C-alpha cells in the first residue's frame, strides 16, 4: 500500500469514528438509546412494585400467624429471609427477562413486537462490523413509522405476520448465526467470493427493504381509506351533493 493510500485509509477511519460519535449522540442510535433507558426504567419500576408487594404480603401473613401462635425470633427471621429472597428473585427476573432475543407469544400486540425488536437490535449492534451497524441503525430509524402502522393492524393480518416473522425469527436468526461464526473465519470468501461480513450486510439490507415494503403497504391502506372517506364526504356534503 502506498503512502497516499495509507493516508486516505487513516482519514476514512477517523471520519467513520467521528460519524459514529455523532450518531450515538444525535442520530437514530441516540433515539433508540433513549427508548431503551425509558423501557429499563419502566421495567425497574414494575419489578420494584412487585417485589414490594411480595414483602407486604409476607409481612401481613407473618403478623396474622403471630396473632394465633408464637413464631419467635427464628420464625420472624425466616419470614424476613423468605420475603427478601422472593423479592430479589422476582425483581431480577422481571428486569432481565426482556434482555433476550425477541421470541414472543403469538398474541403479543404488534407495537410491542416492534419495541422488543428495536431493543434486540440496540443490544446486539456493537457485536457487528461497522457496515452492518450502519444498516442496523437505518432499520432502527424506521421502526417508529413501522410501529405506528402496525399498531393499527390485526396480529393475523398477512402483512403483520410477515413483519413479525422478520423481526422475531429471520433477522435475529441471521444476527445470532453470525455471532456463532468464529472471527478468524469471517474474512474467508465463499464459493461466490463473498465473506461472512458481506453476507450479513446483504441479509440486513434485504430485511430492511422487506420491512420498508410492509410499512409502505400499511401506510397506503391508511391513505386509501382517508381518500375514500374524503371523497364520500365531498360527494355527500359538498356544493353539488345532498345535505
Amino acid at each position: 500500500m502506498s503512502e497516499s493510500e495509507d493516508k486516505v485509509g487513516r482519514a476514512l477511519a477517523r471520519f467513520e469514528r467521528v460519524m459514529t460519535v455523532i450518531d450515538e449522540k444525535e442520530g437514530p442510535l441516540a433515539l433508540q438509546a433513549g427508548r431503551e433507558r425509558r423501557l429499563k426504567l419502566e421495567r425497574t419500576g414494575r419489578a420494584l412494585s412487585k417485589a414490594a408487594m411480595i414483602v407486604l404480603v409476607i409481612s401481613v401473613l407473618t403478623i396474622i400467624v403471630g396473632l394465633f401462635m408464637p413464631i419467635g425470633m427464628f420464625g420472624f427471621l425466616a419470614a424476613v429471609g423468605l420475603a427478601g429472597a422472593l423479592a430479589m428473585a422476582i425483581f431480577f427476573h422481571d428486569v432481565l427477562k426482556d434482555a433476550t432475543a425477541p421470541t414472543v407469544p403469538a398474541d403479543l400486540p404488534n407495537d410491542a413486537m416492534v419495541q422488543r425488536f428495536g431493543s434486540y437490535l440496540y443490544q446486539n449492534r456493537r457485536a457487528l462490523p461497522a457496515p452492518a451497524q450502519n444498516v442496523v441503525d437505518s432499520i432502527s430509524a424506521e421502526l417508529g413509522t413501522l410501529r405506528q402502522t402496525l399498531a393499527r393492524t390485526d396480529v393475523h393480518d398477512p402483512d403483520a405476520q410477515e413483519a413479525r416473522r422478520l423481526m422475531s425469527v429471520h433477522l435475529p436468526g441471521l444476527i445470532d448465526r453470525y455471532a456463532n461464526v468464529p472471527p478468524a473465519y469471517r474474512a474467508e470468501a465463499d464459493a461466490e467470493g463473498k465473506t461472512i461480513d458481506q453476507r450479513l450486510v446483504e441479509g440486513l439490507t434485504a430485511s430492511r427493504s422487506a420491512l420498508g415494503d410492509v410499512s409502505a403497504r400499511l401506510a397506503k391502506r391508511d391513505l386509501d381509506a382517508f381518500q375514500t372517506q374524503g371523497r364520500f364526504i365531498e360527494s355527500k356534503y359538498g356544493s353539488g351533493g345532498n345535505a
Side-chain angles (χ1 to χ4, degrees):
M1 180 182 294
S2 66
E3 182 178 352
S4 61
E5 291 176 334
D6 186 51
K7 289 181 178 179
V8 170
R10 290 198 299 269
L12 289 174
R14 285 195 298 271
F15 175 77
E16 184 174 321
R17 288 195 296 270
V18 170
M19 293 306 298
T20 298
V21 172
I22 292 175
D23 283 343
E24 290 181 351
K25 291 183 177 180
E26 302 178 0
L29 184 59
L31 295 176
Q32 184 61 36
R35 287 193 290 266
E36 287 298 304
R37 286 193 292 270
R38 289 192 296 272
L39 289 173
K40 186 174 182 180
L41 286 173
E42 291 173 3
R43 287 198 300 267
T44 301
R46 290 194 299 268
L48 284 172
S49 297
K50 291 176 68 173
M53 183 60 66
I54 288 294
V55 172
L56 177 62
V57 169
I58 293 180
S59 299
V60 171
L61 290 176
T62 302
I63 293 173
I64 292 174
V65 171
L67 293 176
F68 295 96
M69 57 182 298
I71 60 174
M73 180 59 68
F74 290 109
F76 173 76
L77 292 177
V80 171
L82 176 63
L86 287 176
M88 289 183 62
I90 290 174
F91 175 79
F92 286 111
H93 173 267
D94 284 11
V95 168
L96 299 176
K97 68 178 181 181
D98 290 331
T100 58
T103 301
V104 296
D107 59 347
L108 184 75
N110 292 327
D111 56 341
M113 174 73 255
V114 178
Q115 180 176 291
R116 290 199 183 192
F117 177 63
S119 295
Y120 174 81
L121 291 181
Y122 179 78
Q123 293 163 7
N124 288 273
R125 67 175 298 279
R126 289 191 179 277
L128 306 179
Q133 288 186 20
N134 293 335
V135 182
V136 166
D137 292 344
S138 66
I139 294 174
S140 297
E142 297 169 1
L143 289 183
T145 300
L146 180 63
R147 183 179 181 183
Q148 183 179 3
T149 54
L150 278 177
R152 299 188 300 272
T153 307
D154 186 84
V155 169
H156 302 291
D157 181 272
D159 284 328
Q161 285 291 306
E162 180 180 349
R164 291 169 69 91
R165 281 192 296 271
L166 277 165
M167 292 186 290
S168 64
V169 179
H170 299 313
L171 207 152
L174 176 71
I175 294 176
D176 292 345
R177 285 178 173 81
Y178 172 84
N180 291 335
V181 177
Y185 291 89
R186 293 175 184 171
E188 294 185 3
D190 59 19
E192 297 179 2
K194 296 182 178 180
T195 65
I196 293 296
D197 285 2
Q198 291 172 321
R199 292 291 188 188
L200 174 66
V201 171
E202 289 180 353
L204 291 172
T205 302
S207 298
R208 175 194 173 188
S209 178
L211 288 173
D213 289 343
V214 170
S215 185
R217 289 197 298 270
L218 293 175
K220 189 176 186 304
R221 292 187 199 177
D222 294 331
L223 178 61
D224 291 343
F226 171 79
Q227 291 175 340
T228 299
Q229 185 71 10
R231 285 192 294 268
F232 167 77
I233 293 175
E234 183 180 357
S235 65
K236 186 172 179 62
Y237 300 104
S239 58
N242 297 322

